[in-house]
Amino acid sequence: LEYSYMPSVPLHGNIYNTNSDYPAFKYQYRINHTNLRLVGKVNLYRWKSFMPYAAVGLGGSWNSMGDYKEHLQALPRSESTTFKGMKKFDFSYGAAVGIDYIYKPSFLLSLGYRYDNFGSNKTGNAIGHYKGNHLSNSLYSNTVMLTGRYLFE
């Protein structure tokens, strides 16, 4: 069983007008997530002190998106836009591959790569210029891991 929490972090972006190299406005919003899933790991075989492994995890993620802000760069619109915050639950999964190294019988080192997909994220509906619309994105990560494990006897 694995639990992870990502505290609120800002995401930034630019919106461009047609035929312009300069952004009409910049935006920012904040996202966070909490994830709980069941993870299984299998060592595929052993060669001397090396054991390649594969792992998969399935579970759920509670994703939150909100605190939208705009910073106008060009001619201001007559009315600004804001998006309501929203929290939603979504299916999440992950997969990993790597190599365990038996340094001592009670100590293992692991080096691996892991892909995690935490599902989709979206805001509530807009208030203002884009009334009735929302923002959405997918939340995923790519991780290179170096871990050590001590086995108590």
Side-chain angles (χ1 to χ4, degrees):
L1 192 60
E2 179 181 88
Y3 169 82
S4 67
Y5 171 74
M6 182 184 75
S8 182
V9 295
L11 293 179
H12 307 271
N14 297 318
I15 301 293
Y16 294 86
N17 286 330
T18 308
N19 300 325
S20 175
D21 292 332
Y22 300 102
F25 64 92
K26 296 181 179 191
Y27 65 89
Q28 172 184 314
Y29 57 89
R30 301 186 75 79
I31 63 167
N32 71 5
H33 86 266
T34 303
N35 185 58
L36 184 65
R37 64 180 155 196
L38 190 59
V39 178
K41 177 181 172 184
V42 167
N43 287 100
L44 304 172
Y45 61 91
R46 181 175 176 173
W47 179 74
K48 298 186 180 185
S49 293
F50 296 93
M51 297 183 300
Y53 70 83
V56 295
L58 301 172
S61 186
W62 292 264
N63 301 319
S64 178
M65 188 170 169
D67 198 21
Y68 179 87
K69 294 180 177 79
E70 289 181 358
H71 306 285
L72 300 172
Q73 303 295 311
L75 297 173
R77 295 192 304 254
S78 59
E79 125 182 63
S80 64
T81 299
T82 188
F83 293 89
K84 294 179 183 177
M86 182 177 215
K87 188 170 190 172
K88 69 180 282 245
F89 177 81
D90 208 345
F91 172 74
S92 70
Y93 63 92
V97 293
I99 296 177
D100 287 336
Y101 174 71
I102 303 171
Y103 181 70
K104 292 182 178 178
S106 60
F107 187 71
L108 282 80
L109 288 171
S110 296
L111 179 63
Y113 164 78
R114 180 163 141 174
Y115 171 81
D116 290 301
N117 186 312
F118 301 107
S120 65
N121 217 351
K122 76 178 195 176
T123 63
N125 286 336
I127 302 168
H129 190 71
Y130 298 105
K131 187 175 182 176
N133 292 305
H134 67 272
L135 300 174
S136 64
N137 65 6
S138 294
L139 190 57
Y140 60 91
S141 70
N142 293 284
T143 308
V144 174
M145 304 176 299
L146 176 61
T147 58
R149 277 181 285 167
Y150 182 80
L151 307 172
F152 294 96
E153 297 177 17

